[in-house]
Structure formats: C-alpha cells, structure tokens
Amino acid sequence: MTITSKNRLAGEADPCRTSLYGPPSMDALTERALHLARAGRALLGIVGEPGAGKSTFAEQLWARLEKERPGLAVTVSMDGFHLAQKVIEARGQAADKGTIGTFDADGFVALLRRTRAETEDTENTVWWPEFDRDLEDAVAGAIGVTPHHRLVIVDGNFLLSAHEPWRQVKDLLDETWFLDALPEPRRERLTRRYIGYGFTPQAARAKTLGVDEDTSALIRGTLSRADLVLPEAT
C-alpha cells in the first residue's frame, strides 16, 4: 500500500517527520503495534479531538511499520462514514458536519466486524471508504484491506464513545491510543485547515470555537477509556 493522500495542507505534519506525540517514542510505539499483530490480525484505534492530527499520526506510524515489515499494516478512517453532503443538507445538519450525528455509525461498526472476521480467504478484500476533501464526500471502495494485512490502523473521533452503537467499537479494537493534543495548538491547526478548505479566517475560527469545541468536549470525555494516552510535546 502507498500512503494515501489525506489532502494534507501546508503547515500540517508530514508522515516522515517526527511525531507530535509521545512519550513513548515512535520507535517504542512501532514495536508495540507490531506486538499487537503477533498472533493474527489486530485493529489499532487512533482517537483524538478535531485538529489533533489523527490521520497524520496514523500515516506516520504506518510509514514506520512499512520500513520494519512491508505490507503488514494498512490505514483506514472513520471519516469514510460521513453521511453524504446532500443527506446532511437535507437533514438540516450542514452546519453540524463532523458531529457524532452526521456519521453512519452502524455502517462503521459493521465494517469493523467484517475486518476482524474476514482474514482467512486469501482472495477476499474488505473494501473501506475514504473521505475526499475535494469532493466533501466519501468515496466507496477506496482502500482495500486484504488478508495479508495483519495490522489495521483505524483513526476517528468517536472510537471510545459510550453511546450506542459507538460503544461497540472499543471491543472491536485490540487497543485504542488517545492523542492528547494541547488545546490552543490544536485549535490553531484546525483553524488553518478550514482556511485551506476555503473558509474565511473569521468563519474558520467560528467553526473551531463553536460546533467543533462541543465535539472536542465529547471526545475528551472518553479519554479514560483509552489503552494508551499520548501527550502532545510542548
């Protein structure tokens, strides 16, 4: 697998650079991830607030794993389960896009179950959707998880939510790591991201401090359920 583009913008971390998070070091985290996959397929969750850099961290970890064990790991994301833009608009939720109610949670849980279960048939591929920022919609069948992928890295905001059906996710993951972002740098990254998507600086800041701040509080409330908490370096 090649590193899929997550539409990284100027100023966001490159997968080959040092991670924002730790200790433990990325070397130690790579070893921990490899250990998870020692006895068969494992699913590793990467969770954090909006702007924490979950996808970038997942790609950085994948890049390190690829050096150690080429072809062992693959990255997928909860973001592929955004409801379609036209559905969100029809439901009057356009301003709330990205909140917990604008995802297909049941579909996400179902595909996690398939990903855990379908590991024996060498011809079988579990196809995951990917969110395309240019389209502002998910693209079906964009990422293939094949039987030789022993470690599936899953990033997302609500992996530790206690609300149904999200509460089923934790038991489908072998471990979940929480990226404990510093509040103001996280907000600054998020604001820059929205500006890159075409928001005015004022609108970007308003979204960051409005609906996204409510989502952040919801996610931060799940931190105690994580298997490992990684602090952002100061």
Side-chain angles (χ1 to χ4, degrees), residues 87-164:
V87 172
I88 291 174
E89 291 175 359
R91 293 169 61 167
Q93 294 178 302
D96 298 329
K97 188 169 185 175
T99 61
I100 197 167
T102 61
F103 288 86
D104 175 15
D106 288 305
F108 178 58
V109 170
L111 200 56
L112 282 176
R113 290 192 188 281
R114 280 193 60 202
T115 302
R116 285 206 69 89
E118 297 184 21
T119 60
E120 301 301 325
D121 185 349
T122 58
E123 299 301 318
N124 189 54
T125 297
V126 179
W127 290 101
W128 276 72
E130 181 177 38
F131 190 75
D132 188 312
R133 288 290 176 187
D134 293 328
L135 299 175
E136 274 299 298
D137 262 323
V139 177
I143 303 171
V145 178
T146 65
H148 73 262
H149 287 126
R150 297 279 296 278
L151 183 69
V152 182
I153 305 167
V154 186
D155 77 74
N157 289 343
F158 308 117
L159 306 184
L160 294 173
S161 173
H163 299 289
E164 287 289 358

Side-chain angles (χ1 to χ4, degrees), residues 32 160 170 173-177 223 225-229:
R32 180 164 176 154
L160 294 173
K170 180 172 171 54
L173 301 172
D174 293 86
E175 281 195 358
T176 306
W177 300 353
L223 181 148
R225 304 187 74 212
D227 297 291
L228 180 66
V229 177

Side-chain angles (χ1 to χ4, degrees), residues 6 25-27 43 47-48 69 71 84 119 152 212 230:
K6 302 293 184 183
S25 67
M26 186 58 82
D27 286 341
L43 274 62
V47 64
R69 295 280 300 276
T119 60
V152 182
D212 285 344
L230 300 175

Side-chain angles (χ1 to χ4, degrees), residues 179-190:
L179 303 185
D180 189 10
L182 295 170
E184 199 50 43
R186 178 187 62 76
R187 295 183 188 111
E188 290 173 2
R189 287 193 294 269
L190 194 55

Side-chain angles (χ1 to χ4, degrees), residues 184-199:
E184 199 50 43
R186 178 187 62 76
R187 295 183 188 111
E188 290 173 2
R189 287 193 294 269
L190 194 55
T191 299
R192 289 199 305 271
R193 183 186 301 172
Y194 287 138
I195 292 171
Y197 295 157
F199 283 63

